[in-house]
Amino acid sequence: WGLFEVQDPVVERVREKFKQRSQAGLAKYGVGLDRPDLTRDQWLTHLQEELMDAVNYIEAEKYNAKNNTPRP
């Protein structure tokens, strides 16, 4: 992660989130993303499920914004 300097604080925050996400995944599953036990179809299914979750989050926030639903 220290291979290059980033001048943009937003990019630096994203980099930090990637590191935290990687560490959490290793702690939870005991393997990294270079695992050979999943087929291409299984990887694509995981991706599809993650993207579907993302679309649901977007829809919920759009609904809340439209209806002035307060967020904690």
Side-chain angles (χ1 to χ4, degrees), residues 10 12 22 33 40 46 72:
V10 174
E12 189 56 40
S22 177
L33 292 176
R40 176 175 287 145
H46 283 300

Side-chain angles (χ1 to χ4, degrees), residues 1-70:
W1 294 100
L3 298 176
F4 60 93
E5 292 296 320
V6 177
Q7 300 299 317
D8 187 333
V10 174
V11 173
E12 189 56 40
R13 287 193 303 271
V14 171
R15 285 178 57 193
E16 185 58 35
K17 288 177 187 272
F18 271 115
K19 289 193 310 187
Q20 292 170 358
R21 191 89 175 116
S22 177
Q23 291 166 349
L26 286 171
K28 184 174 182 178
Y29 300 107
V31 294
L33 292 176
D34 59 348
R35 54 191 285 192
D37 61 316
L38 297 177
T39 65
R40 176 175 287 145
D41 188 62
Q42 289 171 315
W43 279 112
L44 290 172
T45 298
H46 283 300
L47 174 59
Q48 184 179 44
E49 291 168 351
E50 294 292 340
L51 293 173
M52 290 168 71
D53 288 344
V55 170
N56 285 330
Y57 301 150
I58 292 167
E59 182 60 29
E61 284 306 307
K62 286 178 65 178
Y63 177 86
N64 290 331
K66 181 179 177 182
N67 295 289
N68 295 316
T69 304

